[in-house]
Amino acid sequence: MRALVMLLALFFIITLDSSCGSLASNVSCLENEREALIKFKGNLTDEANRLRSWAGKDCCTWEGIGCSRRTGHVMKLDLRNPISYFSEIDYENSLMKELGGEISPSLVDLKHLSYLDLSGNNLSGVDFLGSLKSLRYLNLSSSNLVGKVPRNLGNLSRLQYLDLNNNDLVGPIPNTLERLTSLTVLDLSDNQFNDTIKVPFFPSLGNMTQLTVLDLSYNQFKGEIPNSMKNLCSLRIFDLSSNEFSGEIVSPLYGCIRTSLEELNLMFNLFTGQLPNHLGEFKNLERLLIDGNSFSGPLPSSLGRLSYLRELTARDNQLNGSIPVGLGQLFNLQTLDL
Ligand SMILES: *[C@@H]1O[C@H](CO)[C@@H](O)[C@H](O)[C@H]1NC(C)=O
Ligand SMILES: *[C@@H]1O[C@H](CO)[C@@H](O)[C@H](O)[C@H]1NC(C)=O
Ligand SMILES: *[C@@H]1O[C@H](CO)[C@@H](O)[C@H](O)[C@H]1NC(C)=O
Ligand SMILES: *[C@@H]1O[C@H](CO)[C@@H](O)[C@H](O)[C@H]1NC(C)=O
Ligand SMILES: *[C@@H]1O[C@H](CO)[C@@H](O)[C@H](O)[C@H]1NC(C)=O
Ligand SMILES: *[C@@H]1O[C@H](CO)[C@@H](O)[C@H](O)[C@H]1NC(C)=O
Ligand SMILES: *[C@@H]1O[C@H](CO)[C@@H](O)[C@H](O)[C@H]1NC(C)=O
Ligand SMILES: *[C@@H]1O[C@H](CO)[C@@H](O)[C@H](O)[C@H]1NC(C)=O
């Protein structure tokens, strides 16, 4: 009996010891990944010395780097400019904090990189990014990018967030992006895209059924909203403002998009026709912004059923008729601009 107890005790000590041992052993940066990051740093200008912590063996402790605690692989590279480009007060500061130069293709050695945020910097050399197969999050907003969206971005089949906002990218948007069916956020706003809706990319948007945010605002996109949009059952924010979209909006907005949408921004386009009466079925709609189009006819009386509506703006259209009585019952309405 005593022998058995001792044996059990010994067993516990051994197992405890070995598990503690694996916890205590610091899994640190892998050498080839450290080298890849050093190369990446070597190609960047860094006036504010933001990368001063990038020295020494353990790259997992460097500014902006996140590693898997289990394997030590670099999973995250977040070098977002800490000062927003859009804050006027801090514009100069923002420029000072910019990293500049070409993104080194050495990053392909970070085989497990799933999160890459280089937004707010002054960068080029994005052509290889389609090789970063593990990416789920890619943020290159306000990065001074020029040229076309690389075709190989379509290879990032795990991508859930793609933010290319506020660059100088031009069309055509490659049809390869139709493979990005895991996207939940797609932001192409504030670029120089002038594609017509005929390019294959647009109908394929209807296949991105996980989308919650689709922002195409501030470009020169042309044409009618594709009917496939109505299948986007998770879409909460749909922003097409400041483009040259045209045609009627009745059928593309008749589908399960009705139940999810919280914000519909169609401002400053060339839309025509009447506002569909089924707008009243967009139960979760909080903001409906249609200023600066050529919508005609009456405001649908069904708008009086949108109990979450906070903002309705419709100035600069050819709407006529009377204000639906039901609007008076929308207790959440804060802004009404006709
Ligand atoms: C683990 O890392 C910490 C600090 O990074 C250090 O203090 C500690 O000695 C290391 N432990 C081992 C077992 O290397
Ligand atoms: C990047 O750095 C490597 C040396 O590590 C150099 O050969 C290459 O020319 C650099 N590229 C640019 C665009 O500066
Ligand atoms: C990308 O980064 C900018 C800041 O540079 C931020 O405002 C934006 O929300 C980010 N996009 C996503 C999809 O997280
Ligand atoms: C951005 O980088 C380019 C060179 O790649 C340079 O000509 C330009 O002045 C930089 N812009 C800013 C705002 O630093
Ligand atoms: C990545 O995409 C490009 C262009 O779309 C394609 O030619 C290439 O075969 C793809 N590579 C891989 C490894 O999937
Ligand atoms: C898009 O812009 C480019 C360059 O300004 C121009 O050559 C092209 O014809 C435009 N495409 C459309 C569809 O307007
Ligand atoms: C969208 O998905 C359907 C099947 O779900 C497929 O038949 C169609 O080719 C896809 N369209 C595009 C443009 O990828
Ligand atoms: C609204 O305008 C249309 C012509 O665009 C006209 O047929 C209709 O009678 C007008 N309705 C009202 C209530 O003024």
Side-chain angles (χ1 to χ4, degrees):
M1 186 64 191
R2 179 177 298 210
L4 185 62
V5 169
M6 276 182 64
L7 202 65
L8 275 174
L10 194 65
F11 174 75
F12 274 113
I13 287 165
I14 289 168
T15 47
L16 272 177
D17 190 58
S18 67
S19 71
C20 280
S22 70
L23 280 176
S25 77
N26 289 339
V27 185
S28 68
C29 174
L30 292 126
E31 182 53 22
N32 71 320
E33 299 195 350
R34 196 184 73 90
E35 277 166 17
L37 289 167
I38 288 291
K39 277 189 200 149
F40 167 77
K41 179 187 178 183
N43 279 147
L44 296 178
T45 59
D46 178 14
E47 261 185 82
N49 204 9
R50 287 175 56 202
L51 303 183
R52 62 184 163 276
S53 67
W54 285 39
K57 275 276 170 229
D58 189 1
C59 70
C60 297
T61 63
W62 297 354
E63 177 75 25
I65 306 286
C67 292
S68 160
R69 289 226 252 162
R70 203 167 47 78
T71 63
H73 284 295
V74 174
M75 312 274 288
K76 180 170 177 175
L77 178 50
D78 178 1
L79 296 176
R80 177 186 292 192
N81 190 328
I83 300 179
S84 168
Y85 178 92
F86 292 104
S87 92
E88 275 176 40
I89 308 163
D90 271 333
Y91 184 65
E92 294 294 323
N93 266 329
S94 166
L95 289 185
M96 220 189 72
K97 297 267 181 181
E98 274 181 3
L99 303 171
E102 198 172 309
I103 307 172
S104 169
S106 67
L107 292 188
V108 298
D109 289 340
L110 308 177
K111 294 265 187 293
H112 298 261
L113 192 67
S114 74
Y115 189 105
L116 180 59
D117 187 345
L118 299 175
S119 63
N121 294 298
N122 183 17
L123 301 172
S124 61
V126 293
D127 285 350
F128 77 94
L129 291 179
S131 311
L132 301 176
K133 292 274 162 48
S134 301
L135 282 187
R136 290 169 198 272
Y137 181 97
L138 177 58
N139 193 341
L140 295 169
S141 102
S142 307
S143 300
N144 285 339
L145 301 179
V146 296
K148 291 183 181 166
V149 176
R151 290 186 61 76
N152 65 14
L153 282 194
N155 293 351
L156 299 177
S157 56
R158 297 185 189 164
L159 207 58
Q160 294 171 356
Y161 298 82
L162 177 57
D163 191 342
L164 299 174
N165 154 267
N166 189 34
N167 286 291
D168 277 313
L169 297 168
V170 297
I173 295 178
N175 60 348
T176 52
L177 295 198
E178 76 188 19
R179 292 189 239 135
L180 303 181
T181 50
S182 301
L183 281 181
T184 61
V185 174
L186 177 57
D187 190 341
L188 300 177
S189 62
D190 211 345
N191 278 287
Q192 309 291 329
F193 296 120
N194 65 351
D195 305 47
T196 68
I197 224 77
K198 292 212 171 62
V199 304
F201 163 71
F202 274 100
S204 73
L205 281 176
N207 283 14
M208 298 181 182
T209 53
Q210 312 296 312
L211 277 181
T212 61
V213 176
L214 177 57
D215 191 345
L216 304 176
S217 62
Y218 292 94
N219 283 288
Q220 292 110 49
F221 287 119
K222 302 171 191 31
E224 302 191 7
I225 311 181
N227 274 344
S228 62
M229 293 304 303
K230 63 176 177 233
N231 302 325
L232 300 183
C233 310
S234 304
L235 199 64
R236 291 190 292 104
I237 297 178
F238 189 24
D239 191 344
L240 299 180
S241 59
S242 298
N243 278 288
E244 294 164 34
F245 287 112
S246 57
E248 304 201 358
I249 61 168
V250 179
S251 48
L253 293 184
Y254 197 82
C256 63
I257 195 173
R258 285 175 297 169
T259 55
S260 56
L261 215 57
E262 291 168 16
E263 174 173 333
L264 179 59
N265 189 342
L266 304 176
M267 291 208 277
F268 307 113
N269 278 286
L270 305 168
F271 289 113
T272 54
Q274 300 214 355
L275 295 172
N277 205 42
H278 63 254
L279 272 179
E281 295 168 30
F282 285 65
K283 293 194 174 46
N284 289 306
L285 205 60
E286 293 174 22
R287 304 180 77 212
L288 176 59
L289 313 171
I290 60 167
D291 314 52
N293 283 285
S294 296
F295 289 114
S296 58
L299 283 174
S301 58
S302 67
L303 290 182
R305 297 209 301 267
L306 299 175
S307 52
Y308 293 114
L309 200 65
R310 284 188 289 116
E311 200 173 346
L312 170 58
T313 69
R315 64 161 74 190
D316 282 327
N317 279 287
Q318 276 105 55
L319 299 167
N320 66 4
S322 51
I323 298 176
V325 175
L327 289 192
Q329 272 129 45
L330 299 181
F331 293 112
N332 289 307
L333 200 61
Q334 292 166 3
T335 304
L336 176 62
D337 185 349
L338 304 177

